[in-house]
Amino acid sequence: MAKYNEIKYGRTFMGRLKFGGDLLEELSASCEQNEIRLGSIGALGAVQKARVGFYNQQAREYEFLEIDKPMEITNLTGNVSLRDGKPMVHAHITLCDSKGNAFGGHLAPGTIIFACEFIVHSYDGPDYVRDYDEDTGLPLWLI
Amino acid sequence: MAKYNEIKYGRTFMGRLKFGGDLLEELSASCEQNEIRLGSIGALGAVQKARVGFYNQQAREYEFLEIDKPMEITNLTGNVSLRDGKPMVHAHITLCDSKGNAFGGHLAPGTIIFACEFIVHSYDGPDYVRDYDEDTGLPLWLI
Amino acid sequence: MAKYNEIKYGRTFMGRLKFGGDLLEELSASCEQNEIRLGSIGALGAVQKARVGFYNQQAREYEFLEIDKPMEITNLTGNVSLRDGKPMVHAHITLCDSKGNAFGGHLAPGTIIFACEFIVHSYDGPDYVRDYDEDTGLPLWLI
């Protein structure tokens, strides 16, 4: 069965990230500044280059890919929850290059912002704590 | 002209779907359990394999593609409305493989969850009922 | 640093766009009719053909691509803010063709709707005004 809770809508933050910054770091910092422990994130924009993860489901480890070219961010979808007692942003990203071809994966450090417009919604609810999940080897929510 | 209504924000559910389950079925079951008749859905995660539909606009029928490899879900975008008197999930999915290449389409049964984190918002409003639309041959909202 | 504000959730509109219409125009018209000055947009559906922009970060100008085939819209992510005193929709789109391959970019006029289900949330907050940004050459938010 799915594991989920009802949560309550809290606050909304909307803005843009810094040119030249690291996308995952900047998103994480914005969430931390507002003490968001549970949230959802959406964004669009462009990157100077990207680094994304693909989880090898057999080997149970992330493989990282560098996509070293400017691309549009056609979508970023993410959430905020707790890992090791601290808020953690988990986000996936879809990107398109100059020919319109799409790429993406798990957003990793090393993705450099050209421009990024984001919206974060925070929620009030029980703690969503990430911990080792036996089925996948991933840090998933113990809820 | 566009056809739309103002609707009122209702409730929010956030959680994760079961490893090995069918993505469309699990999402649908979670919405049914909460008697959601009108809603929006967002998700990210990974699949063991995918099955997606492409609507052939000329032939007016869905063609289904099996993409038989593990992929990240970089985005799932969907909604909940009524068809034949019952809540129905309609979702589209964007996926990326181990090389970062992106794929996707209309989420069909046969997409197997590796991990999936989702958020569902329900709304209060008039019934959004899907029925045959002459322009497209699709079950669209009569609103 | 990121530049952002806390904003307050306002209203929600959900519906579908007109077969054969221009996707960006129809979304913009729906937002204008409801006097939305600040908002977020999500959508899925299908297009008869697409026209997307890719911002050439070196040349500081948009290049436009026509993708002249029917595709599913697997995601549209956008926002509403002010430019030259008027509400403006900024949206990025992810599309998939009959083989499941994904494409996309900055949504430009010339993308023709087959079917499109959208949701718009409006927010109350300070004005988000787009103006020339020196770092990128783009019209970004002065906030």
Side-chain angles (χ1 to χ4, degrees), chain A residues 75-113:
Chain A
N75 175 263
L76 179 148
T77 300
N79 55 49
V80 187
S81 59
L82 300 176
R83 188 170 182 191
D84 300 329
K86 289 186 296 191
M88 187 196 108
V89 168
H90 176 217
H92 283 195
I93 192 167
T94 310
L95 302 152
C96 291
D97 70 7
S98 62
K99 293 178 180 167
N101 292 125
F103 304 89
H106 174 92
L107 178 63
T111 298
I112 305 304
I113 301 160

mmCIF file of all heavy atoms in Angstrom, chain A residues 75-113:
data_model
loop_
_atom_site.group_PDB
_atom_site.id
_atom_site.type_symbol
_atom_site.label_atom_id
_atom_site.label_comp_id
_atom_site.label_asym_id
_atom_site.label_seq_id
_atom_site.Cartn_x
_atom_site.Cartn_y
_atom_site.Cartn_z
ATOM 1 N N ASN A 75 11.227 21.735 -16.468
ATOM 2 C CA ASN A 75 10.534 21.467 -15.205
ATOM 3 C C ASN A 75 11.529 21.056 -14.139
ATOM 4 O O ASN A 75 12.472 20.309 -14.417
ATOM 5 C CB ASN A 75 9.507 20.344 -15.382
ATOM 6 C CG ASN A 75 8.841 19.944 -14.071
ATOM 7 O OD1 ASN A 75 9.253 18.980 -13.424
ATOM 8 N ND2 ASN A 75 7.844 20.693 -13.648
ATOM 9 N N LEU A 76 11.272 21.542 -12.945
ATOM 10 C CA LEU A 76 11.928 20.997 -11.758
ATOM 11 C C LEU A 76 10.815 20.656 -10.783
ATOM 12 O O LEU A 76 9.917 21.466 -10.535
ATOM 13 C CB LEU A 76 12.900 22.005 -11.150
ATOM 14 C CG LEU A 76 13.632 21.525 -9.873
ATOM 15 C CD1 LEU A 76 15.028 22.123 -9.794
ATOM 16 C CD2 LEU A 76 12.849 21.847 -8.608
ATOM 17 N N THR A 77 10.840 19.432 -10.286
ATOM 18 C CA THR A 77 9.831 18.956 -9.335
ATOM 19 C C THR A 77 10.568 18.436 -8.117
ATOM 20 O O THR A 77 11.442 17.580 -8.246
ATOM 21 C CB THR A 77 9.015 17.800 -9.954
ATOM 22 O OG1 THR A 77 8.369 18.276 -11.137
ATOM 23 C CG2 THR A 77 7.954 17.291 -8.989
ATOM 24 N N GLY A 78 10.222 18.959 -6.943
ATOM 25 C CA GLY A 78 10.947 18.518 -5.767
ATOM 26 C C GLY A 78 10.136 18.592 -4.501
ATOM 27 O O GLY A 78 8.982 19.022 -4.499
ATOM 28 N N ASN A 79 10.760 18.135 -3.426
ATOM 29 C CA ASN A 79 10.119 18.239 -2.125
ATOM 30 C C ASN A 79 11.172 18.505 -1.050
ATOM 31 O O ASN A 79 12.374 18.434 -1.305
ATOM 32 C CB ASN A 79 9.273 16.981 -1.818
ATOM 33 C CG ASN A 79 10.054 15.699 -1.913
ATOM 34 O OD1 ASN A 79 11.144 15.578 -1.359
ATOM 35 N ND2 ASN A 79 9.507 14.731 -2.642
ATOM 36 N N VAL A 80 10.672 18.840 0.127
ATOM 37 C CA VAL A 80 11.531 19.072 1.280
ATOM 38 C C VAL A 80 11.061 18.152 2.397
ATOM 39 O O VAL A 80 9.860 18.059 2.668
ATOM 40 C CB VAL A 80 11.429 20.526 1.796
ATOM 41 C CG1 VAL A 80 12.465 20.792 2.890
ATOM 42 C CG2 VAL A 80 11.587 21.522 0.662
ATOM 43 N N SER A 81 11.997 17.448 3.003
ATOM 44 C CA SER A 81 11.663 16.605 4.153
ATOM 45 C C SER A 81 12.929 16.516 5.008
ATOM 46 O O SER A 81 13.871 17.291 4.798
ATOM 47 C CB SER A 81 11.179 15.233 3.682
ATOM 48 O OG SER A 81 12.174 14.597 2.900
ATOM 49 N N LEU A 82 12.943 15.618 5.966
ATOM 50 C CA LEU A 82 14.055 15.588 6.918
ATOM 51 C C LEU A 82 14.985 14.402 6.673
ATOM 52 O O LEU A 82 14.535 13.272 6.442
ATOM 53 C CB LEU A 82 13.509 15.498 8.346
ATOM 54 C CG LEU A 82 12.605 16.658 8.768
ATOM 55 C CD1 LEU A 82 12.033 16.409 10.164
ATOM 56 C CD2 LEU A 82 13.354 17.981 8.729
ATOM 57 N N ARG A 83 16.269 14.669 6.735
ATOM 58 C CA ARG A 83 17.252 13.587 6.713
ATOM 59 C C ARG A 83 18.327 13.920 7.735
ATOM 60 O O ARG A 83 18.853 15.037 7.725
ATOM 61 C CB ARG A 83 17.863 13.433 5.323
ATOM 62 C CG ARG A 83 18.723 12.191 5.259
ATOM 63 C CD ARG A 83 19.160 11.841 3.873
ATOM 64 N NE ARG A 83 19.937 10.614 3.896
ATOM 65 C CZ ARG A 83 20.632 10.155 2.877
ATOM 66 N NH1 ARG A 83 20.617 10.801 1.737
ATOM 67 N NH2 ARG A 83 21.329 9.043 2.971
ATOM 68 N N ASP A 84 18.626 12.969 8.585
ATOM 69 C CA ASP A 84 19.601 13.197 9.654
ATOM 70 C C ASP A 84 19.220 14.440 10.460
ATOM 71 O O ASP A 84 20.090 15.252 10.811
ATOM 72 C CB ASP A 84 21.008 13.347 9.068
ATOM 73 C CG ASP A 84 21.435 12.094 8.300
ATOM 74 O OD1 ASP A 84 20.999 10.995 8.665
ATOM 75 O OD2 ASP A 84 22.178 12.244 7.308
ATOM 76 N N GLY A 85 17.926 14.626 10.663
ATOM 77 C CA GLY A 85 17.453 15.721 11.507
ATOM 78 C C GLY A 85 17.398 17.084 10.849
ATOM 79 O O GLY A 85 16.990 18.062 11.470
ATOM 80 N N LYS A 86 17.801 17.148 9.581
ATOM 81 C CA LYS A 86 17.826 18.452 8.912
ATOM 82 C C LYS A 86 16.988 18.431 7.636
ATOM 83 O O LYS A 86 16.883 17.395 6.967
ATOM 84 C CB LYS A 86 19.264 18.828 8.556
ATOM 85 C CG LYS A 86 20.099 19.177 9.767
ATOM 86 C CD LYS A 86 21.474 19.682 9.385
ATOM 87 C CE LYS A 86 22.281 18.589 8.682
ATOM 88 N NZ LYS A 86 23.709 18.974 8.538
ATOM 89 N N PRO A 87 16.414 19.574 7.279
ATOM 90 C CA PRO A 87 15.647 19.648 6.035
ATOM 91 C C PRO A 87 16.521 19.317 4.835
ATOM 92 O O PRO A 87 17.667 19.777 4.752
ATOM 93 C CB PRO A 87 15.192 21.110 5.971
ATOM 94 C CG PRO A 87 15.231 21.579 7.382
ATOM 95 C CD PRO A 87 16.390 20.851 8.013
ATOM 96 N N MET A 88 15.984 18.538 3.917
ATOM 97 C CA MET A 88 16.725 18.149 2.719
ATOM 98 C C MET A 88 15.837 18.320 1.493
ATOM 99 O O MET A 88 14.684 17.905 1.496
ATOM 100 C CB MET A 88 17.137 16.690 2.830
ATOM 101 C CG MET A 88 18.053 16.245 1.692
ATOM 102 S SD MET A 88 18.143 14.423 1.585
ATOM 103 C CE MET A 88 17.182 14.158 0.079
ATOM 104 N N VAL A 89 16.391 18.949 0.472
ATOM 105 C CA VAL A 89 15.669 19.092 -0.794
ATOM 106 C C VAL A 89 15.968 17.887 -1.673
ATOM 107 O O VAL A 89 17.127 17.526 -1.878
ATOM 108 C CB VAL A 89 16.092 20.394 -1.525
ATOM 109 C CG1 VAL A 89 15.567 20.397 -2.957
ATOM 110 C CG2 VAL A 89 15.596 21.613 -0.763
ATOM 111 N N HIS A 90 14.911 17.276 -2.175
ATOM 112 C CA HIS A 90 15.030 16.210 -3.170
ATOM 113 C C HIS A 90 14.323 16.705 -4.416
ATOM 114 O O HIS A 90 13.133 17.018 -4.365
ATOM 115 C CB HIS A 90 14.357 14.927 -2.656
ATOM 116 C CG HIS A 90 14.349 13.812 -3.656
ATOM 117 N ND1 HIS A 90 13.299 12.928 -3.792
ATOM 118 C CD2 HIS A 90 15.271 13.442 -4.583
ATOM 119 C CE1 HIS A 90 13.588 12.053 -4.741
ATOM 120 N NE2 HIS A 90 14.768 12.335 -5.236
ATOM 121 N N ALA A 91 15.064 16.795 -5.528
ATOM 122 C CA ALA A 91 14.450 17.336 -6.739
ATOM 123 C C ALA A 91 14.904 16.574 -7.975
ATOM 124 O O ALA A 91 16.031 16.085 -8.038
ATOM 125 C CB ALA A 91 14.797 18.811 -6.887
ATOM 126 N N HIS A 92 14.000 16.478 -8.943
ATOM 127 C CA HIS A 92 14.319 15.934 -10.259
ATOM 128 C C HIS A 92 14.136 17.056 -11.269
ATOM 129 O O HIS A 92 13.335 17.973 -11.066
ATOM 130 C CB HIS A 92 13.412 14.741 -10.571
ATOM 131 C CG HIS A 92 13.821 13.486 -9.853
ATOM 132 N ND1 HIS A 92 13.357 12.227 -10.190
ATOM 133 C CD2 HIS A 92 14.677 13.293 -8.819
ATOM 134 C CE1 HIS A 92 13.902 11.328 -9.387
ATOM 135 N NE2 HIS A 92 14.693 11.938 -8.539
ATOM 136 N N ILE A 93 14.892 16.949 -12.361
ATOM 137 C CA ILE A 93 14.912 18.061 -13.313
ATOM 138 C C ILE A 93 14.796 17.550 -14.740
ATOM 139 O O ILE A 93 15.329 16.489 -15.074
ATOM 140 C CB ILE A 93 16.211 18.898 -13.108
ATOM 141 C CG1 ILE A 93 16.159 20.218 -13.861
ATOM 142 C CG2 ILE A 93 17.457 18.090 -13.465
ATOM 143 C CD1 ILE A 93 17.258 21.192 -13.438
ATOM 144 N N THR A 94 14.063 18.305 -15.558
ATOM 145 C CA THR A 94 13.955 18.015 -16.985
ATOM 146 C C THR A 94 14.529 19.219 -17.735
ATOM 147 O O THR A 94 14.193 20.366 -17.420
ATOM 148 C CB THR A 94 12.489 17.797 -17.404
ATOM 149 O OG1 THR A 94 11.883 16.847 -16.519
ATOM 150 C CG2 THR A 94 12.401 17.258 -18.832
ATOM 151 N N LEU A 95 15.388 18.924 -18.702
ATOM 152 C CA LEU A 95 16.164 19.950 -19.392
ATOM 153 C C LEU A 95 16.039 19.778 -20.896
ATOM 154 O O LEU A 95 15.865 18.645 -21.371
ATOM 155 C CB LEU A 95 17.640 19.801 -19.005
ATOM 156 C CG LEU A 95 17.956 19.895 -17.516
ATOM 157 C CD1 LEU A 95 19.202 19.088 -17.172
ATOM 158 C CD2 LEU A 95 18.111 21.338 -17.095
ATOM 159 N N CYS A 96 16.152 20.870 -21.655
ATOM 160 C CA CYS A 96 16.131 20.760 -23.118
ATOM 161 C C CYS A 96 17.252 21.596 -23.711
ATOM 162 O O CYS A 96 17.480 22.727 -23.299
ATOM 163 C CB CYS A 96 14.790 21.245 -23.653
ATOM 164 S SG CYS A 96 13.447 20.107 -23.216
ATOM 165 N N ASP A 97 17.914 21.013 -24.712
ATOM 166 C CA ASP A 97 19.055 21.705 -25.308
ATOM 167 C C ASP A 97 18.646 22.551 -26.511
ATOM 168 O O ASP A 97 17.458 22.731 -26.785
ATOM 169 C CB ASP A 97 20.156 20.688 -25.655
ATOM 170 C CG ASP A 97 19.796 19.774 -26.812
ATOM 171 O OD1 ASP A 97 18.742 19.968 -27.471
ATOM 172 O OD2 ASP A 97 20.572 18.832 -27.079
ATOM 173 N N SER A 98 19.639 23.055 -27.221
ATOM 174 C CA SER A 98 19.381 23.995 -28.319
ATOM 175 C C SER A 98 18.622 23.365 -29.484
ATOM 176 O O SER A 98 18.068 24.071 -30.314
ATOM 177 C CB SER A 98 20.703 24.570 -28.828
ATOM 178 O OG SER A 98 21.520 23.531 -29.336
ATOM 179 N N LYS A 99 18.608 22.042 -29.541
ATOM 180 C CA LYS A 99 17.842 21.374 -30.597
ATOM 181 C C LYS A 99 16.475 20.932 -30.109
ATOM 182 O O LYS A 99 15.728 20.271 -30.824
ATOM 183 C CB LYS A 99 18.637 20.173 -31.127
ATOM 184 C CG LYS A 99 19.891 20.630 -31.861
ATOM 185 C CD LYS A 99 20.715 19.475 -32.361
ATOM 186 C CE LYS A 99 21.948 20.038 -33.079
ATOM 187 N NZ LYS A 99 22.955 18.998 -33.332
ATOM 188 N N GLY A 100 16.172 21.226 -28.836
ATOM 189 C CA GLY A 100 14.870 20.856 -28.282
ATOM 190 C C GLY A 100 14.859 19.481 -27.643
ATOM 191 O O GLY A 100 13.844 19.077 -27.073
ATOM 192 N N ASN A 101 15.966 18.758 -27.726
ATOM 193 C CA ASN A 101 16.024 17.416 -27.129
ATOM 194 C C ASN A 101 16.058 17.498 -25.614
ATOM 195 O O ASN A 101 16.732 18.354 -25.052
ATOM 196 C CB ASN A 101 17.252 16.657 -27.628
ATOM 197 C CG ASN A 101 17.162 16.316 -29.110
ATOM 198 O OD1 ASN A 101 18.044 16.643 -29.885
ATOM 199 N ND2 ASN A 101 16.076 15.660 -29.507
ATOM 200 N N ALA A 102 15.339 16.556 -24.989
ATOM 201 C CA ALA A 102 15.163 16.596 -23.532
ATOM 202 C C ALA A 102 16.049 15.590 -22.809
ATOM 203 O O ALA A 102 16.283 14.474 -23.298
ATOM 204 C CB ALA A 102 13.705 16.364 -23.176
ATOM 205 N N PHE A 103 16.495 16.003 -21.638
ATOM 206 C CA PHE A 103 17.368 15.222 -20.773
ATOM 207 C C PHE A 103 16.919 15.421 -19.334
ATOM 208 O O PHE A 103 16.110 16.294 -19.062
ATOM 209 C CB PHE A 103 18.816 15.709 -20.906
ATOM 210 C CG PHE A 103 19.327 15.696 -22.301
ATOM 211 C CD1 PHE A 103 19.161 16.809 -23.119
ATOM 212 C CD2 PHE A 103 19.938 14.571 -22.824
ATOM 213 C CE1 PHE A 103 19.616 16.793 -24.437
ATOM 214 C CE2 PHE A 103 20.386 14.544 -24.130
ATOM 215 C CZ PHE A 103 20.224 15.658 -24.939
ATOM 216 N N GLY A 104 17.528 14.663 -18.435
ATOM 217 C CA GLY A 104 17.226 14.946 -17.038
ATOM 218 C C GLY A 104 17.597 13.829 -16.104
ATOM 219 O O GLY A 104 18.267 12.861 -16.478
ATOM 220 N N GLY A 105 17.149 13.985 -14.871
ATOM 221 C CA GLY A 105 17.423 13.016 -13.823
ATOM 222 C C GLY A 105 17.300 13.669 -12.465
ATOM 223 O O GLY A 105 16.657 14.717 -12.311
ATOM 224 N N HIS A 106 17.909 13.006 -11.508
ATOM 225 C CA HIS A 106 17.939 13.460 -10.113
ATOM 226 C C HIS A 106 18.894 14.654 -10.020
ATOM 227 O O HIS A 106 20.056 14.556 -10.429
ATOM 228 C CB HIS A 106 18.441 12.264 -9.295
ATOM 229 C CG HIS A 106 18.694 12.499 -7.863
ATOM 230 N ND1 HIS A 106 17.741 12.285 -6.898
ATOM 231 C CD2 HIS A 106 19.815 12.898 -7.216
ATOM 232 C CE1 HIS A 106 18.264 12.541 -5.708
ATOM 233 N NE2 HIS A 106 19.522 12.913 -5.872
ATOM 234 N N LEU A 107 18.408 15.768 -9.532
ATOM 235 C CA LEU A 107 19.241 16.977 -9.475
ATOM 236 C C LEU A 107 20.402 16.791 -8.500
ATOM 237 O O LEU A 107 20.190 16.508 -7.313
ATOM 238 C CB LEU A 107 18.400 18.178 -9.029
ATOM 239 C CG LEU A 107 19.159 19.494 -8.881
ATOM 240 C CD1 LEU A 107 19.728 19.969 -10.210
ATOM 241 C CD2 LEU A 107 18.248 20.560 -8.276
ATOM 242 N N ALA A 108 21.617 16.957 -9.024
ATOM 243 C CA ALA A 108 22.819 16.767 -8.206
ATOM 244 C C ALA A 108 23.592 18.087 -8.116
ATOM 245 O O ALA A 108 23.423 18.975 -8.962
ATOM 246 C CB ALA A 108 23.698 15.688 -8.825
ATOM 247 N N PRO A 109 24.441 18.213 -7.093
ATOM 248 C CA PRO A 109 25.320 19.387 -7.037
ATOM 249 C C PRO A 109 26.149 19.456 -8.319
ATOM 250 O O PRO A 109 26.525 18.414 -8.872
ATOM 251 C CB PRO A 109 26.215 19.091 -5.829
ATOM 252 C CG PRO A 109 25.436 18.138 -4.987
ATOM 253 C CD PRO A 109 24.665 17.298 -5.954
ATOM 254 N N GLY A 110 26.388 20.650 -8.795
ATOM 255 C CA GLY A 110 27.140 20.799 -10.034
ATOM 256 C C GLY A 110 26.286 21.299 -11.184
ATOM 257 O O GLY A 110 26.781 21.487 -12.293
ATOM 258 N N THR A 111 25.006 21.516 -10.900
ATOM 259 C CA THR A 111 24.109 22.109 -11.893
ATOM 260 C C THR A 111 24.128 23.616 -11.662
ATOM 261 O O THR A 111 23.755 24.092 -10.585
ATOM 262 C CB THR A 111 22.684 21.548 -11.723
ATOM 263 O OG1 THR A 111 22.722 20.139 -11.948
ATOM 264 C CG2 THR A 111 21.719 22.210 -12.699
ATOM 265 N N ILE A 112 24.592 24.354 -12.671
ATOM 266 C CA ILE A 112 24.844 25.786 -12.488
ATOM 267 C C ILE A 112 23.719 26.628 -13.099
ATOM 268 O O ILE A 112 23.400 26.501 -14.281
ATOM 269 C CB ILE A 112 26.207 26.176 -13.112
ATOM 270 C CG1 ILE A 112 27.321 25.287 -12.523
ATOM 271 C CG2 ILE A 112 26.505 27.659 -12.885
ATOM 272 C CD1 ILE A 112 27.420 25.324 -11.006
ATOM 273 N N ILE A 113 23.177 27.507 -12.272
ATOM 274 C CA ILE A 113 22.026 28.330 -12.649
ATOM 275 C C ILE A 113 22.393 29.384 -13.695
ATOM 276 O O ILE A 113 23.374 30.118 -13.530
ATOM 277 C CB ILE A 113 21.489 29.080 -11.404
ATOM 278 C CG1 ILE A 113 21.068 28.095 -10.311
ATOM 279 C CG2 ILE A 113 20.337 30.022 -11.779
ATOM 280 C CD1 ILE A 113 20.986 28.727 -8.924
#
